[in-house]
């Protein structure tokens, strides 16, 4: 998979390193000469250019990318890069960093963003996830379909503890994607029995989150 990352700061370089370790092809783009530190991520391609300029994105061959990540520290730049990647080059997947939570509402399909990652929101979600049992925690927002990645740790008093996955009447527009049980990561199947303490990850429509939380956490 070919990935272009706009923004070669600490965030962009860290993402690039992870992707390269997983065998992907990575291009880092930044307009600041001081940000071009080839020695820090030598396996990546580097381009000194303004990612908001069409000529720069042509040089980056963005049309060959499977994913574009707008990871600069400027929300305006990240929105422009996302829009150009999606509308001018038809990039299948666009991920954008949100620096200011007040701007999060802008990072949607209209601006070409498939996945918006808000660092403050993610950090607060991870804190909640670590200490919350029985409360639904929103981890990530997907622009397409108004869906979110949400997590809930099943409390002992849950009505569905001890119930098979296939016997639960899940709300519409929700999908159980993973069960984390201790150190194990389980792929849900109809015969799997849910246990108290299971960490359940769902992709769910925002309108269904309250219904999902009620189903999981309330003893009837």
């Amino acid at each position: 998979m070919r990935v272009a990352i706009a923004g070669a700061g600490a965030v962009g370089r860290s993402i690039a390193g992870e992707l390269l370790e997983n065998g992907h092809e990575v291009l880092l783009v930044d307009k600041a000469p001081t940000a071009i530190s080839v020695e820090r991520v030598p396996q990546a391609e580097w381009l000194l250019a303004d990612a908001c300029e069409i000529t720069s994105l042509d040089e980056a061959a963005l049309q060959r990318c499977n994913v574009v990540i707008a990871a600069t520290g400027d929300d305006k730049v990240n929105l422009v890069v996302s829009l150009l990647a999606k509308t001018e080059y038809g990039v299948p997947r666009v991920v954008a960093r949100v620096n200011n939570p007040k701007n999060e509402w802008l990072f949607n399909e209209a601006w070409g963003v498939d996945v918006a990652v808000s660092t403050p929101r993610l950090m607060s979600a991870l804190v909640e996830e670590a200490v919350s049992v029985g409360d639904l925690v929103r981890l990530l927002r997907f622009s397409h379909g108004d869906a979110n990645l949400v997590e809930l740790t099943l409390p002992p008093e849950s009505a569905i503890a001890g119930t098979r996955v296939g016997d639960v009447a899940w709300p519409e527009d929700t999908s159980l994607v993973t069960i984390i049980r201790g150190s194990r990561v389980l792929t849900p199947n109809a015969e799997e029995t849910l246990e108290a303490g299971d960490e359940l990850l769902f992709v769910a429509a925002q309108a269904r989150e309250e219904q999902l939380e009620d189903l999981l956490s309330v003893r009837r």
Side-chain angles (χ1 to χ4, degrees):
M1 182 172 69
R2 179 174 172 81
V3 182
I5 302 174
V11 172
R13 292 194 306 270
S14 296
I15 296 169
E18 293 284 341
L19 291 170
L20 287 163
E21 285 186 10
N22 290 328
H24 301 296
E25 182 182 347
V26 177
L27 168 66
L28 281 160
V29 183
D30 205 297
K31 67 177 181 179
T34 54
I36 305 300
S37 303
V38 178
E39 70 281 357
R40 294 191 179 184
V41 193
Q43 306 96 325
E45 298 176 47
W46 290 78
L47 178 62
L48 176 61
D50 187 345
C52 292
E53 297 287 343
I54 290 288
T55 53
S56 300
L57 300 181
D58 284 343
E59 187 177 354
L62 224 64
Q63 70 279 1
R64 295 198 295 110
C65 292
N66 305 100
V67 180
V68 165
I69 301 173
T72 79
D74 188 324
D75 285 345
K76 296 187 295 296
V77 171
N78 291 342
L79 285 170
V80 171
V81 171
S82 299
L83 185 63
L84 291 175
K86 184 65 70 174
T87 60
E88 297 296 325
Y89 298 91
V91 177
R93 194 72 166 168
V94 177
V95 180
R97 172 187 176 188
V98 184
N99 297 279
N100 187 339
K102 293 181 179 179
N103 297 329
E104 191 172 359
W105 66 276
L106 287 165
F107 286 74
N108 56 32
E109 188 175 356
W111 279 93
V113 178
D114 295 306
V115 180
V117 181
S118 171
T119 303
R121 181 180 292 279
L122 182 58
M123 290 182 68
S124 64
L126 291 173
V127 170
E128 289 183 55
E129 184 272 334
V131 300
S132 299
V133 175
D135 294 324
L136 202 69
V137 178
R138 187 180 300 169
L139 299 177
L140 192 65
R141 178 176 63 83
F142 301 101
S143 297
H144 289 303
D146 193 28
N148 300 310
L149 178 66
V150 298
E151 180 272 349
L152 185 140
T153 300
L154 202 63
E157 66 273 15
S158 171
I160 66 170
T163 305
R164 296 189 311 167
V165 170
D167 293 334
V168 178
W170 302 108
E172 293 183 8
D173 303 321
T174 66
S175 177
L176 176 62
V177 293
T178 303
I179 301 170
I180 301 175
R181 183 175 297 156
S183 60
R184 300 172 61 202
V185 178
L186 307 175
T187 301
N189 62 70
E191 301 302 317
E192 186 68 50
T193 299
L194 298 169
E195 299 179 4
D198 282 352
E199 189 174 345
L200 308 178
L201 273 70
F202 296 85
V203 174
Q206 187 168 334
R208 301 294 182 182
E209 289 181 4
E210 185 175 350
Q211 184 180 353
L212 181 62
E213 184 172 29
D214 287 344
L215 171 69
L216 295 170
S217 60
V218 176
R219 171 67 70 181
R220 292 174 175 80

